[in-house]
Amino acid sequence: MTMTDQHPRTRRNPHSAADDSAQSAAAPEVSGPTSRPTTPIVQGLALLDKDPRYDRRTGHAGLSVDVCFLDGTKTTATLELDPGRVLLLNIQLERAIALREAARKAASE
């Protein structure tokens, strides 16, 4: 397969006249060989209510997430975290919890 772009998400075969004849009549017009396939745009991630997976051998953790796209579709994936990212996430979550508790105390006073 011939690559026309260095970025792995935009790899495609070069445009040819045979490709035009294989398209259906309802297919939208493209602007020639410079057009690229549409890459879905991620809107956000949502953690699923599942226990994380942990690999004792490597120290990696896996969190199940829903990947939500702008077109309204979503897919389930695993967010893999190396040991350093697991520690960083732990620190960030502890900080967020402390900030939430401080805000609750300030609101009740």
Side-chain angles (χ1 to χ4, degrees):
M1 179 165 101
T2 304
M3 300 301 162
T4 58
D5 200 312
Q6 297 298 324
H7 196 275
R9 290 185 181 175
T10 59
R11 290 182 182 167
R12 62 181 176 83
N13 290 329
H15 184 74
S16 70
D19 292 338
D20 291 338
S21 64
Q23 292 181 352
S24 69
E29 292 273 337
V30 292
S31 61
T34 59
S35 67
R36 294 181 178 203
T38 304
T39 302
I41 299 173
V42 175
Q43 180 178 3
L45 298 176
L47 286 173
L48 296 178
D49 294 334
K50 293 185 177 181
D51 287 336
R53 193 186 80 248
Y54 183 74
D55 183 350
R56 283 186 286 169
R57 185 179 54 84
T58 63
H60 286 213
L63 300 172
S64 295
V65 295
D66 270 342
V67 181
C68 306
F69 299 99
L70 283 178
D71 65 0
T73 61
K74 63 183 177 178
T75 187
T76 301
T78 300
L79 179 62
E80 294 288 334
L81 302 168
D82 63 33
R85 292 293 173 178
V86 171
L87 182 59
L88 178 61
L89 181 60
N90 181 45
I91 292 167
Q92 290 172 332
L93 290 174
E94 285 178 352
R95 174 125 172 89
I97 291 168
L99 289 170
R100 182 180 64 181
E101 289 176 6
R104 283 184 182 171
K105 286 180 183 178
S108 66
E109 292 177 356

